[in-house]
Amino acid sequence: MTWVREMVAGDAAAVSAVRVAGWRAAYAGVIPGAYLDAMSVERDAALREERFAAGRAAGLRDLVAVGADGADGRVVGWACCGPRDTPGAGAGSGAGAGEGELYALYVRPDLLGRGVGRALLDAVHDEAGARGWGALVLWVVEANARARRFYEAAGYQADGGAQSEEYDGVPVREVRYRRAAGDSQSGPATPRSLR
């Protein structure tokens, strides 16, 4: 069983371990290897700890998945959502008040396909409903076919938005996905408890 709960400051190191492992697994061959090799769980954890309180004050919600595959309460996934970052949305994006954004969703690579990501995404959808967001948007690396299939199966559709981020001088294209609130394509619910 996978359970989702709100992240606490003490989860930063575990979240960073999941995030760094997720990057290395998902972006091998897409983002330069030297960049991925230089990623550090310790540096990432320090950054997570530093940003944790500020993120809450800005309306971000960090969620962690625990308990999957005998993990005994250890963090095996992380998602972060909040109000849509409209300043970076781009001209003609249709951004408006009352939209949310999924900023991150990572699952321990050895647990992909076991419902951890679905549990986190369902909890994000619950958060969107509770906040009255009319839609959720997210950015995904265009070459990350697995993630794109995952979001499409949950009712997200590419909306034509695109941007590039540079990693060690290599541009990596991202595409924007959108899901209207109330779309019911999330599938069977996975147990979750938000405290």
Side-chain angles (χ1 to χ4, degrees):
M1 290 281 201
T2 299
W3 296 94
V4 174
R5 63 169 171 79
E6 190 162 354
M7 180 181 165
V8 296
D11 292 325
V15 164
S16 292
V18 168
R19 182 177 176 275
V20 169
W23 267 68
R24 288 179 175 157
Y27 303 133
V30 176
I31 291 176
Y35 183 92
L36 296 174
D37 291 344
M39 292 181 79
S40 159
V41 171
E42 294 77 17
R43 281 193 311 271
D44 193 78
L47 186 61
R48 299 269 141 249
E49 290 171 359
E50 181 182 311
R51 293 182 176 174
F52 185 69
R56 279 191 166 181
L60 298 185
R61 181 103 189 256
D62 288 287
L63 304 168
V64 293
V66 297
D69 198 36
D72 299 326
R74 287 177 292 163
V75 171
V76 296
W78 166 65
C80 179
C81 66
R84 178 143 183 222
D85 185 14
T86 51
S93 66
E99 289 190 350
E101 186 162 348
L102 175 60
Y103 291 104
L105 193 153
Y106 292 94
V107 172
R108 208 173 74 190
D110 62 315
L111 295 176
L112 291 173
R114 297 194 185 181
V116 177
R118 171 61 61 199
L120 283 165
L121 193 57
D122 286 347
V124 167
H125 293 162
D126 289 348
E127 181 73 9
R131 293 201 196 188
W133 292 331
L136 272 170
V137 298
L138 61 90
W139 291 92
V140 62
V141 171
E142 186 174 41
N144 191 343
R146 181 179 193 136
R148 292 180 70 179
R149 285 190 306 271
F150 171 76
Y151 292 122
E152 288 165 1
Y156 288 83
Q157 296 179 346
D159 70 1
Q163 63 186 13
S164 285
E165 296 282 335
E166 277 200 20
Y167 300 92
D168 284 350
V170 175
V172 176
R173 185 174 160 91
E174 298 176 337
V175 291
R176 188 176 55 219
Y177 275 68
R178 173 184 299 275
R179 179 184 191 267
D183 283 356
S184 59
Q185 296 152 344
S186 63
T190 301
R192 55 190 182 271
S193 172
L194 299 177
R195 292 176 240 156

